[in-house]
């Protein structure tokens, strides 16, 4: 009794045109992203993607990436000082060193981008069509200043009131420990949620403000 041979089928190879078409659609969708903030909209270039606009304005498209880089720089500084046997700086001084390093990296990126654009213009011969006007690039400093002014003009958010249960806990902690916030933090009976000393200090300040209203 013979065994029927399994029919072999040739795997279809997807053409590159479909991938190219999908890439064009994604780019078009990115360019059509809506900017709801009126302050930012006046600096937005609709011919660019969101990532390109953020980069041109000096803003971070992904804040987590910036914070990750800050942590890396901080670790590198601490490691370098430790290997050199130098004294470790305080948190405020360390943050200034991180800010300076971030500023240097940002300036280096801008110089590389300017050099790249200059090279492209030279290769193109610098020729321009008669009557054509190139749209000027938005100034990132003006955009950041406008956003800062907008934030400064907004009233500060109202502080959330403490609940009756929180007020009772703070009252008991103050009556027992006074202003010893470290002792409050160690009191696992009253401080059932294990708040830190710094958090308990803020709670006591809120308590006093709320009682004074």
């Amino acid at each position: 009794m013979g065994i029927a041979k399994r029919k072999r089928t040739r795997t279809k190879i997807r053409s590159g045109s479909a991938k190219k078409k999908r890439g064009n659609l994604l780019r078009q969708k990115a360019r059509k992203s809506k900017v709801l903030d009126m302050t930012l909209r006046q600096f937005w270039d609709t011919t660019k993607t969101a990532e390109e606009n953020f980069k041109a304005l000096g803003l971070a498209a992904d804040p987590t990436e910036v914070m990750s880089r800050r942590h890396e720089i901080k670790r590198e500084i601490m490691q370098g000082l430790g290997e050199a046997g130098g004294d470790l700086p305080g948190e405020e001084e360390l943050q200034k060193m991180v800010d300076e390093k971030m500023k240097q990296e940002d300036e280096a990126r801008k110089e590389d981008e300017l050099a790249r654009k200059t090279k492209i213009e030279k290769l193109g011969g610098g020729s321009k069509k008669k009557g054509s006007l190139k749209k000027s690039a938005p100034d990132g400093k003006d955009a950041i200043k406008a956003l800062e002014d907008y934030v400064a003009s907004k009233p500060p958010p109202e502080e959330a009131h403490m609940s009756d249960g929180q007020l009772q806990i703070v009252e008991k902690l103050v009556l027992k420990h006074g202003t010893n916030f470290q002792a409050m933090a160690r009191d696992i009976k009253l401080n059932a949620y294990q708040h830190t000393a710094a958090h308990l200090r803020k709670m006591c300040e809120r308590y006093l403000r709320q009682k004074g209203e």
Side-chain angles (χ1 to χ4, degrees):
M1 186 175 178
I3 299 174
K5 291 184 178 180
R6 188 175 180 181
K7 187 178 180 181
R8 297 178 65 182
T9 57
R10 180 179 294 180
T11 305
K12 293 183 178 179
I13 301 174
R14 188 176 179 181
S15 63
S17 59
K19 294 181 181 179
K20 186 176 180 181
K21 185 177 181 182
R22 177 175 172 79
N24 291 335
L25 290 173
L26 290 174
R27 281 190 289 273
Q28 289 175 7
K29 185 177 180 180
R31 290 195 181 101
K32 291 179 181 178
S33 56
K34 292 183 179 179
V35 183
L36 301 179
D37 186 81
M38 296 298 295
T39 306
L40 189 59
R41 188 182 296 177
Q42 58 184 322
F43 301 98
W44 199 263
D45 188 347
T46 55
T47 63
K48 296 180 180 179
T49 63
E51 186 176 354
E52 290 171 342
N53 271 285
F54 277 116
K55 185 177 180 180
L57 296 175
L59 301 173
D62 186 4
T64 56
E65 184 179 345
V66 177
M67 294 305 298
S68 177
R69 181 55 188 152
R70 288 185 66 88
H71 287 309
E72 289 179 5
I73 294 174
K74 184 177 179 180
R75 186 167 58 250
E76 291 170 2
I77 293 173
M78 296 289 285
Q79 185 177 356
L81 291 174
E83 293 176 353
D87 296 331
L88 296 179
E91 186 63 26
E92 186 176 353
E93 183 65 24
L94 185 59
Q95 291 300 328
K96 289 181 179 179
M97 296 170 72
V98 174
D99 291 339
E100 182 64 25
K101 180 65 175 177
M102 291 286 290
K103 183 179 179 181
Q104 292 174 1
E105 291 185 353
D106 185 54
E107 289 176 351
R109 280 194 297 268
K110 288 180 179 178
E111 289 178 0
D112 291 341
E113 183 68 17
L114 181 61
R116 187 183 67 84
K117 289 181 179 179
T118 304
K119 185 177 180 180
I120 292 173
E121 289 177 358
K122 287 182 178 179
L123 291 173
S127 58
K128 294 182 180 179
K129 292 182 179 180
K130 189 176 180 180
S132 63
L133 293 174
K134 186 177 180 181
K135 186 179 179 180
S136 59
D139 192 343
K141 293 182 180 179
D142 292 341
I144 294 173
K145 181 66 168 58
L147 290 171
E148 289 176 345
D149 292 342
Y150 172 74
V151 173
S153 65
K154 303 291 287 185
E158 295 184 2
E159 188 178 45
H161 281 249
M162 300 176 70
S163 64
D164 293 337
Q166 289 176 321
L167 291 173
Q168 291 176 7
I169 292 172
V170 172
E171 286 176 353
K172 291 178 181 179
L173 287 169
V174 172
L175 288 173
K176 185 176 180 180
H177 302 288
T179 57
N180 190 342
F181 301 106
Q182 294 293 340
M184 292 183 187
R186 292 192 296 266
D187 192 337
I188 60 175
K189 185 176 180 180
L190 292 178
N191 183 22
Y193 292 102
Q194 295 295 287
H195 295 306
T196 63
H199 186 75
L200 289 167
R201 178 190 291 273
K202 292 179 180 179
M203 289 181 68
C204 290
E205 292 173 353
R206 287 174 58 192
Y207 169 82
L208 294 174
R209 286 195 298 268
Q210 191 166 326
K211 283 294 184 180
E213 292 179 354

